[in-house]
Amino acid sequence: MAQRYVRIQNQEGKIFYGLLQISLNVQLLDAPPWLGGQPTDVYLEVDNYLILAPCSPSKIVAVGKNYAAHAAEMETEVPEEPLIFMKPPTSVIACDKEIHYPPQSQRVDYEGELALIIGDRVFNCAPEKAHTKIWGYTIANDVTARDLQRKDGQWTRAKGFDTFCPLGPWIVRELNPGARLQTFLNDDTKPVQSACIDEMVFSPDVLVSYISQVMTLLPGDVILTGTPVGVGELHIGDRVRIEIEGIGRLENTVTANTHKKL
Ligand code: MG
């Protein structure tokens, strides 16, 4: 099994990066791994830590309509160049945490996606060099309030609610380019999304290069590479699970937002 890089919180509330062992104990690193963090002699047992999202990005840059069949289901063309937007860092939640259904929306969708973790400061990077800037891979759910996306004409609100970016559960460094992404709802054994990541219109290298010509990417930043065909609705009480071969599974439940309506 590939090495799994995690971010965890100990019982005193301190946050560490670490290596997840087969036993589920975590060997702590002395810094984020993309900043040269090295393994220490300290191990935390499974009952003594909480798993967090595997990085703490300064920004999340996402890509729309990057699978042709998904663009078609949205009744739009594949864009001629990558269509990018952002999700705020405050939208990130860990595996097993709850997605809060916002009271402003009547239609919230899942979007299973491959996430890239940036390992370096990247500006104006050629596509041929971009693979050296991708430190690793994890799984994301680009949760979207579809009705607000249509209504607003731009996507900040629809994509930006707190809890709208489940991320994790860990990072791996290598990924088979033909790995399959699948999304499952509740106890259904038939996936609602199933595609190979090499069906992307713009590859990870092209995306990193393209985005780096707009803004500097920082170590630990996250790029969401777009969702395949089969997006659909979430309801309060649903469990949504996204699996990518060679990484693992990201699972979250949907709950009512308990914030007081203003
Ligand atoms: Mg998306």
Side-chain angles (χ1 to χ4, degrees):
M1 183 186 287
Q3 181 66 66
R4 297 171 295 178
Y5 292 82
V6 291
R7 190 166 148 268
I8 53 129
Q9 186 168 38
N10 72 7
Q11 289 175 322
E12 287 80 51
K14 285 189 76 176
I15 294 171
F16 299 94
Y17 290 83
L19 306 173
L20 183 64
Q21 315 287 304
I22 299 286
S23 62
L24 301 183
N25 293 345
V26 171
Q27 182 179 16
L28 301 188
L29 300 173
D30 58 11
W34 38 87
L35 298 181
Q38 295 299 312
T40 67
D41 296 334
V42 184
Y43 290 77
L44 289 185
E45 291 182 7
V46 63
D47 293 335
N48 294 336
Y49 68 84
L50 281 178
I51 196 153
L52 305 175
C55 59
S56 179
S58 80
K59 58 188 166 296
I60 302 150
V61 186
V63 181
K65 302 171 193 167
N66 199 26
Y67 289 80
H70 169 62
E73 79 177 336
M74 302 305 283
E75 299 177 340
T76 56
E77 303 286 321
V78 170
E80 284 177 15
E81 55 187 333
L83 171 64
I84 63 173
F85 61 95
M86 293 179 77
K87 289 172 86 81
T90 42
S91 64
V92 172
I93 57 170
C95 187
D96 294 326
K97 293 291 184 192
E98 293 168 347
I99 298 165
H100 295 157
Y101 202 110
Q104 295 95 324
S105 174
Q106 319 307 317
R107 170 73 195 236
V108 173
D109 284 5
Y110 57 81
E111 293 190 0
E113 306 199 7
L114 171 68
L116 315 176
I117 312 300
I118 298 298
D120 206 352
R121 197 179 172 93
V122 195
F123 180 72
N124 211 20
C125 178
E128 306 77 54
K129 288 266 175 65
H131 69 277
T132 65
K133 310 297 185 185
I134 301 171
W135 194 87
Y137 304 91
T138 190
I139 306 169
N141 190 346
D142 175 20
V143 181
T144 303
R146 195 70 70 199
D147 52 351
L148 304 183
Q149 185 183 29
R150 295 206 168 100
K151 183 177 172 189
D152 291 355
Q154 50 80 27
W155 304 358
T156 303
R157 183 166 66 140
K159 300 279 193 179
F161 286 98
D162 287 1
T163 76
F164 267 28
C165 190
L167 191 69
W170 45 68
I171 296 167
V172 300
R173 302 230 42 199
E174 301 291 336
L175 193 63
N176 180 338
R180 182 162 291 275
L181 181 159
Q182 294 191 295
T183 303
F184 298 86
L185 288 177
N186 301 313
D187 294 322
D188 290 350
T189 53
K190 189 168 173 291
V192 286
Q193 294 187 289
S194 182
C196 289
I197 57 173
D198 59 7
E199 294 171 35
M200 279 179 207
V201 176
F202 300 105
S203 69
D205 292 354
V206 170
L207 295 176
V208 169
S209 171
Y210 183 87
I211 296 164
S212 80
Q213 294 170 62
V214 180
M215 64 187 87
T216 301
L217 292 165
L218 300 178
D221 279 353
V222 172
I223 295 174
L224 306 189
T225 55
T227 199
V229 69
V231 298
E233 205 170 351
L234 290 170
H235 300 94
I236 291 167
D238 279 350
R239 269 183 296 116
V240 54
R241 185 176 85 248
I242 301 160
E243 301 186 359
I244 298 180
E245 280 174 332
I247 306 180
R249 49 175 60 181
L250 171 70
E251 183 162 327
N252 299 87
T253 52
V254 182
T255 62
N257 189 325
T258 52
H259 294 164
K260 223 188 287 174
K261 199 152 191 283
L262 296 177

